[in-house]
């Protein structure tokens, strides 16, 4: 066995759960899931005032979306709007952001995703403004190891259909996109995966900036980071979203209302 072999990352195993690992969440509606996702991501730094929107595709082809005029830390299940595949309102008490055009175009070209997140997160947007993806320095940052697309042009807001289509084309098959002078896009097959990717990338972005400010550091071994990230791309991080959702429920149980 060579030195390289001894340093090679070992295969990871899926967690076998034989009894509950924590208290279960109550049975949630899709609107309650979306409201909790808003709250959880706000706590991670997806908190740029009234900016940002999340779409959640439903089995009937409609989409749930957070309302335009509420910050993510005040959204409740009853605030959640419903729209069709063209972004037209179907129901809900408030309004839908004009910038939902971006989500319409993303969902049109990515049948594999159910959840699309866009916001100007505190740390991810720093790297969007720099115009490159941050390095991975630790295992939390490696929870998403897939491609990060960088769209390096800014021609205005993404409520313009041509701009939205250009962004969707630039993101392609990536699940995270950095939009120059704008913000971050995160895509996932379900709420749990979308949260994992959004949280992980914000952590990665923050750590990379702090390490650069401290004078630099050594990025995580690329093979180890890839093994770690690929594992969590195909397996759920058991209990992660549920734990963060319980935290938000302790803060404000009314989120489910």
């Amino acid at each position: 066995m060579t030195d390289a072999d001894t340093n090679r990352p070992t295969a990871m195993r899926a967690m076998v759960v034989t009894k509950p690992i924590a208290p279960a969440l109550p049975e949630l509606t899709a609107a309650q899931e979306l409201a909790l996702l808003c709250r959880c991501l706000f706590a991670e730094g997806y908190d740029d005032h009234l900016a940002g929107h999340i779409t959640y595709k439903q089995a009937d082809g409609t989409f749930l979306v957070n309302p335009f005029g509420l910050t993510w830390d005040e959204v409740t299940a009853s605030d959640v709007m419903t729209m069709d595949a063209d972004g037209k309102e179907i129901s809900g008490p408030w309004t839908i952001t004009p910038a939902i055009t971006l989500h319409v175009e993303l969902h049109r070209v990515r049948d594999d995703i159910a959840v699309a997140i866009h916001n100007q997160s505190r740390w991810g947007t720093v790297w969007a403004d720099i115009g490159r993806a941050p390095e991975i320095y630790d295992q939390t940052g490696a929870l998403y190891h897939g491609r990060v697309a960088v769209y390096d042009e800014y021609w205005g807001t993404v409520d313009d259909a041509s701009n939205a289509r250009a962004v969707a084309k630039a993101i392609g098959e990536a699940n995270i996109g950095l939009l120059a002078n704008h913000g971050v896009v995160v895509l996932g097959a379900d709420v749990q995966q979308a949260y994992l990717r959004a949280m992980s990338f914000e952590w990665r972005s923050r750590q990379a900036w702090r390490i650069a400010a401290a004078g630099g550091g050594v990025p995580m071994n690329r093979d180890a980071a890839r093994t770690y990230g690929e594992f969590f791309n195909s397996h759920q991080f058991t209990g992660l979203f549920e734990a963060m959702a319980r935290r938000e429920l302790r803060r404000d149980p009314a989120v489910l209302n």
Side-chain angles (χ1 to χ4, degrees):
M1 181 179 292
T2 67
D3 289 342
D5 289 330
T6 60
N7 291 329
R8 199 174 304 249
T10 57
M12 298 182 69
R13 294 188 297 274
M15 181 178 178
V16 177
V17 178
T18 58
K19 63 180 182 178
I21 63 171
L25 290 175
E27 186 173 346
L28 300 173
T29 66
Q32 289 172 332
E33 286 186 292
L34 179 56
L36 281 167
L37 181 58
C38 286
R39 299 291 187 101
C40 290
L41 289 180
F42 186 92
E44 298 291 346
Y46 291 73
D47 60 356
D48 182 10
H49 307 91
L50 290 182
H53 17 96
I54 303 175
T55 44
Y56 185 10
K57 187 176 182 179
Q58 302 300 293
D60 63 359
T62 63
F63 293 84
L64 302 183
V65 56
N66 61 295
F68 175 48
L70 302 182
T71 58
W72 285 15
D73 64 332
E74 64 176 333
V75 173
T76 68
S78 60
D79 295 316
V80 171
M81 308 290 292
T82 303
M83 70 181 200
D84 67 15
D86 295 320
K88 294 183 173 62
E89 179 184 321
I90 296 174
S91 64
W94 311 114
T95 60
I96 296 173
T97 174
I100 207 63
T101 308
L102 171 61
H103 290 245
V104 169
E105 297 300 332
L106 285 168
H107 285 289
R108 280 178 176 163
V109 298
R110 290 289 300 272
D111 288 337
D112 59 313
I113 65 165
V115 179
I117 300 164
H118 173 53
N119 205 320
Q120 285 73 267
S121 60
R122 291 187 180 190
W123 297 97
T125 303
V126 170
W127 294 95
D129 293 344
I130 290 172
R132 63 182 172 88
E135 291 279 6
I136 297 172
Y137 284 96
D138 54 39
Q139 68 178 31
T140 301
L143 283 167
Y144 175 76
H145 187 269
R147 189 169 75 88
V148 177
V150 178
Y151 180 63
D152 60 2
E153 299 182 54
Y154 182 82
W155 295 103
T157 56
V158 288
D159 57 331
D160 178 85
S162 62
N163 289 343
R165 284 193 291 270
V167 170
K169 181 179 179 180
I171 290 175
E173 296 303 309
N175 291 306
I176 292 181
L178 297 178
L179 313 186
N181 312 115
H182 192 148
V184 178
V185 171
V186 181
L187 308 175
D190 52 36
V191 165
Q192 289 79 8
Q193 186 180 70
Y195 171 76
L196 173 74
R197 289 172 173 173
M199 175 278 293
S200 173
F201 191 74
E202 186 68 0
W203 177 286
R204 168 180 169 180
S205 298
R206 182 180 68 241
Q207 292 299 93
W209 180 261
R210 287 176 171 174
I211 289 165
V218 178
M220 188 174 178
N221 175 278
R222 293 187 183 277
D223 287 340
R226 182 174 59 253
T227 297
Y228 198 72
E230 288 177 352
F231 177 84
F232 285 103
N233 189 52
S234 57
H235 296 82
Q236 291 283 3
F237 191 138
T238 304
L240 175 63
F241 176 73
E242 290 77 8
M244 300 302 101
R246 287 195 305 273
R247 180 181 64 186
E248 295 308 314
L249 287 168
R250 291 192 298 272
R251 290 177 177 174
D252 182 12
V255 62
L256 300 184
N257 293 347

